[in-house]
Amino acid sequence: NGMNVLEKNGFQHGTVLTIKSDFESCLKFDKFCDEIGRRSHKDLVNLKETVTGEKESFKDSVNYVRHTERKIGKVKGAKQTFKSCVNFEDPQNDDLPIDNDDGNNICTDENSQFLLRSLAR
């Protein structure tokens, strides 16, 4: 996981500097991938049904697209295609994005390490 390289260079942990929306998007993307894995092992449904939420909508807690204005994938328009093909539940009031994100939030070391591990997958 790269921790040994950090330790060799005299560091005890890594720090990720990011804005809240990008951090939320990364965490939810990791949950989305875990949910696809869980569903694919649970019912042995076909890949399309698993990835699109055709039979069972995905909970909003894994909706990583809602938290970013960035494009996804390398193909132009992939984000809009993804949004129209994948079924997510509506967000709950307590899970709505925070509009006043000034980008000055610093993630805890534990959260930063979790994010790094997620991105390394």
Side-chain angles (χ1 to χ4, degrees):
N1 67 8
M3 190 64 188
N4 58 343
V5 176
L6 286 173
E7 289 171 349
K8 283 182 189 177
N9 290 307
F11 296 98
Q12 300 303 313
H13 64 275
T15 301
V16 175
L17 301 177
T18 185
I19 59 174
K20 183 174 176 66
S21 60
D22 287 349
F23 185 72
E24 287 291 324
S25 184
C26 288
L27 293 176
K28 289 195 176 202
F29 179 74
D30 188 53
K31 290 179 182 178
F32 179 73
C33 292
D34 288 346
E35 181 64 14
I36 288 174
R38 185 191 67 77
R39 288 180 182 200
S40 65
H41 287 91
K42 177 181 148 190
D43 294 326
L44 297 177
V45 295
N46 70 40
L47 183 61
K48 180 182 177 231
E49 291 173 351
T50 301
V51 174
T52 61
E54 190 175 291
K55 287 189 173 182
E56 176 187 358
S57 294
F58 288 99
K59 294 191 180 304
D60 182 64
S61 61
V62 303
N63 187 354
Y64 68 96
V65 179
R66 182 170 61 83
H67 290 276
T68 185
E69 293 301 316
R70 299 182 190 275
K71 68 179 188 170
I72 60 171
K74 294 183 179 183
V75 177
K76 187 175 182 177
K79 184 174 182 177
Q80 282 308 115
T81 302
F82 180 86
K83 282 179 161 181
S84 66
C85 293
V86 180
N87 299 319
F88 289 104
E89 294 177 355
D90 291 332
Q92 302 300 314
N93 289 335
D94 60 343
D95 197 28
L96 293 174
I98 298 171
D99 292 332
N100 62 352
D101 182 12
D102 60 5
N104 291 322
N105 297 315
I106 299 176
C107 305
T108 65
D109 292 336
E110 180 182 335
N111 286 337
S112 299
Q113 289 297 317
F114 179 79
L115 174 62
L116 289 171
R117 285 191 299 276
S118 299
L119 294 173
R121 286 186 181 178

